[in-house]
Amino acid sequence: MDPSDRGGHREEIAATGHLARLWRPVGESRSIGVWRADDEHDLHEKVLGTLSLRPWMTLTATALESHPNDPGGTGATP
């Protein structure tokens, strides 16, 4: 089980399209995720703010846009 998802909330968020990808760097307990939201406010309030471990998490949000040379991309914003 992913420690950032103790309540099984990850599947619900993924089903809504907010959680695109989630990784854990080898040997570390932190996670790196690609999340989708209308804007940063919605990301924090409606998505990340609903995580059960949110009070103990340190978050950094970086807006992303598609790269034209992304081999898996569609050219749309992630």
Side-chain angles (χ1 to χ4, degrees), residues 19-59:
L19 175 57
R21 299 293 305 267
L22 190 62
W23 297 273
R24 171 163 297 130
V26 175
E28 298 184 29
S29 61
R30 68 187 178 108
S31 297
I32 299 171
V34 175
W35 301 82
R36 292 186 176 107
D38 291 333
D39 55 40
E40 190 170 345
H41 178 265
D42 279 354
L43 175 66
H44 285 283
E45 295 297 318
K46 298 178 181 177
V47 181
L48 301 176
T50 67
L51 298 174
S52 59
L53 293 179
R54 175 58 194 104
W56 299 277
M57 297 169 72
T58 301
L59 302 172

